[in-house]
Amino acid sequence: MTRPPSAAQRRVIDAADPVTGRLRGTETQLAALVKRGLAFRHPRPPRDHFLTPAGHRIREAPEPEPVMVTQTYAPTGSGVFAARIGGEAAAGTGPARVREVHSAWQGLLEMRRMTNPDGATDRPCGWERTHLVQAAALALEAAGHRPADADAASAGYRVRATPQPEAVAVREPDPESLRACAATLEKAGWQVGEHTEPRTGSRYVLASPRRV
């Protein structure tokens, strides 16, 4: 657990843009928030600062409260958010998780806008091409698809890396749910195709980030 932000830091957090989480403050204030995992600095000019999902939780809390920081995955690279790829132990699914996933997805769309040469948000950006599994999983979770739990026979999606460059495999035992996952990824800017495992005969979706 970490101590709550100072009053000055809380004012900066509370004043963040409600959708993108863009921050305004002094360099010292922003650097302190980055150090605590509550903000990140975008790598491209104008190098603005944005709230991480942990920062969004602080802003949404009625009272300052400690934030649990885990070394997992974040679209921002801050290490405070884990998109569910399927097969993990049961995780929270309540309103707080929904808000966290929504914030992460909005942050990823903002990253697309700022890093794609034409500012497009309808296709993946460079970060997603180097974090294929996490990016595809975030698109699915943000759209409301259910990830599989730790039980090998459980329903839900599972996103896994493949030997093919820039491609992930998405598996879901229910054929209709698998097609729905494919439709979500296609809408999120991925090229998708349904395939059959030669040895098992099970169907899966192969997805890769669209370039144009």
Side-chain angles (χ1 to χ4, degrees):
M1 302 291 286
T2 63
R3 58 184 174 81
S6 67
Q9 290 173 337
R10 180 66 190 240
R11 285 193 294 271
V12 173
I13 291 171
D14 288 343
D17 183 278
V19 176
T20 66
R22 190 190 301 264
L23 293 163
R24 292 289 182 269
T26 67
E27 285 298 319
T28 300
Q29 290 172 326
L30 297 174
L33 292 175
V34 170
K35 184 176 181 180
R36 298 185 59 181
L38 302 177
F40 72 97
R41 187 178 187 183
H42 198 282
R44 291 286 188 88
R47 303 187 188 283
D48 287 332
H49 289 73
F50 297 84
L51 288 176
T52 63
H56 279 285
R57 290 196 297 273
I58 287 287
R59 183 178 61 175
E60 294 164 1
E63 298 290 339
E65 62 182 30
V67 178
M68 181 68 73
V69 178
T70 57
Q71 192 63 35
T72 49
Y73 144 78
T76 63
S78 61
V80 296
F81 172 78
R84 293 199 61 191
I85 66 173
E88 307 95 331
T93 58
R97 177 64 181 180
V98 172
R99 290 194 299 269
E100 184 177 65
V101 172
H102 173 76
S103 295
W105 177 247
Q106 292 301 317
L108 187 55
L109 292 180
E110 179 66 8
M111 184 177 290
R112 288 182 177 187
R113 186 186 71 78
M114 296 184 68
T115 61
N116 279 333
D118 56 357
T121 60
D122 62 349
R123 69 175 184 274
C125 61
W127 185 92
E128 291 168 272
R129 298 179 192 283
T130 59
H131 299 78
L132 295 169
V133 172
Q134 299 94 328
L138 177 56
L140 293 173
E141 190 175 3
H145 295 280
R146 175 190 170 190
D149 60 29
D151 182 351
S154 69
Y157 70 78
R158 297 172 187 267
V159 184
R160 297 293 185 265
T162 72
Q164 300 187 40
E166 289 202 355
V168 296
V170 179
R171 291 176 171 81
E172 159 64 76
D174 178 64
E176 185 175 344
S177 296
L178 181 63
R179 287 191 292 270
C181 287
T184 290
L185 289 173
E186 188 170 23
K187 184 178 179 180
W190 294 65
Q191 293 178 324
V192 299
E194 196 168 337
H195 301 267
T196 302
E197 286 278 6
R199 288 182 295 178
T200 66
S202 62
R203 301 288 287 173
Y204 69 97
V205 164
L206 196 66
S208 58
R210 182 167 55 84
R211 290 190 174 274
V212 294

